[in-house]
Amino acid sequence: MALHQNLIAGEWVGGDAIANINPSDTNDVVGEYARGSAQDMQDAIAAAKAAFPAWSRSGILERHAILKKTADEILARKDELGALLSREEGKTLAEGIGETIRAAQIFDFFAGEALRLAGETLPSVRPGIGIEITRDPLGVIGIITPWNFPIAIPAWKIAPALCYGNTVVFKPAELVPGCAWAIVDILNRAGLPKGVLNLVMGKGSVVGQVMLDSPLLSGITFTGSTGTGKRVALASVEHNRKYQLEMGGKNPMVVLDDADLANAVEACVNGSFFSTGQRCTASSRLIVTEGIHDRFVAAVTERLNGLVIDNALKAGTHIGPVVDASQMKQDEDYIEIGQKEGAKLVSGGERLNRETPGFYLKPALFTEATNQMRISREEIFGPVASVIRVKDYDEALATANDTTFGLSAGICTTSLKHATHFKRNVEAGMVMVNVATAGVDFHVPFGGRKGSSFGSREQGKYAAEFYTSVKTSYTLA
Ligand code: NDP
């Protein structure tokens, strides 16, 4: 099997190999991928540093052309790349293709942004002096990504970094190197000069740590767990560099008595369980008022019983496997903890056997949960959700906000008054009304507050905030 190598200074470089295993069929090896060394990461950072002066001064047409070509190739290969994604991560083929299309849209958006770079001019308070406000690229950006969105998250970090004139060192999660390698290969062939984009696959504790400890990086953008995010923050403070963190969530979905029941069930089942619940925006706390509670639980349970959990690549599968054995253990541990804490497991929670050996888990729904239980406070990151019964809207809002996280929050209601009040008062970066908490657009800001995120927003025009540094120039002419 051919080894997919790391890209350092424009050259494909080998090294130790690690097998990429399909969670829907653990006998299926998706490919062999290089496991970079600490020295590889040092070399990649040096290459990105050397490439920065020329790339930061490159023309906007060159940047536009490379990003557009990348978008076009990703879109043309959406079925193949979507299948690769599903095969290595376990989300269904429809979800894999959808995520791939989104990656193409992100590159397309930033290809356009390269042509729209602009500043401001304004008069000084001192006569005769003019002021220009412009944005400079930062320098070398370190990109660290998680396993759950193997093509979209790399796309939404790499595209703006390059668009605004930065050079990049990219370390994807070791569990999903396939999509990462594919988009780096596409960008490289699209004409990026040597060293502008470097890929170092490998263990976070080895190559990722070198990135954190390097004084040569001007910024690190990270998506992943809260624990690793804290390491990124501490190391970045030490090196006086910019950093951006997107971490976990414990996202609430409030369902009020006046909700459209069918729509609420759809929004909750989608938000809690699709993509195997492995989304930072998943609604793991379903906060439901008394009047609709029993009808809601019955309808969700019925809907869950109709879902097909099977091989991600199989036609008709609604929910694919959990990503790997250790995530499976984490999910099962929390299912046990929930029961011990006194919550009632009303549906799912058990392992399933399918034609191919994989990590199949029937989506688990708890009722009688309280917001103080560990299953309501800690991120599980699997197909597990809890229903928390509340008496009215006020208690629902207070419960929604009683968390250390603040990424996405939703409400299902037909009341304009409650929807409006919720949008204004819920402590989250993204608010959904009658729409699932997960599933966001590519052209608008993404991010949260409290323990979920730190730094400026990702995606859309707001991405410029992280990937550039504002300069104010005064000229007496
Ligand atoms: P991790 O924090 O374990 O890993 C994230 C990335 O950090 C991986 O590439 C990992 O490498 C790397 N890493 C690990 N240790 C270090 C280190 N010491 N130095 C530098 N890099 C390191 O998270 P997961 O991959 O397990 O992702 C799941 C988590 O991500 C969930 O908690 C989820 O909520 C969160 N997430 C948040 C999102 C958001 O936008 N808020 C979006 C998606 C996920 P490796 O895997 O190779 O060890």
Side-chain angles (χ1 to χ4, degrees), residues 299-311:
V300 170
T301 308
E302 192 188 331
R303 180 82 172 86
L304 289 180
N305 286 335
L307 293 178
V308 177
I309 294 94
D310 207 333
N311 192 312

Side-chain angles (χ1 to χ4, degrees), residues 1 17 111 124 130 147 164 188 215 218 223 239 249 294 309 327 359 429 441 467 472:
M1 194 174 270
S124 164
W147 49 261
Y164 298 116
N188 186 44
S218 301
T223 301
H239 291 289
D294 293 354
I309 294 94
Q327 184 63 48
F359 307 106
D441 286 6
Y467 293 97
T472 312

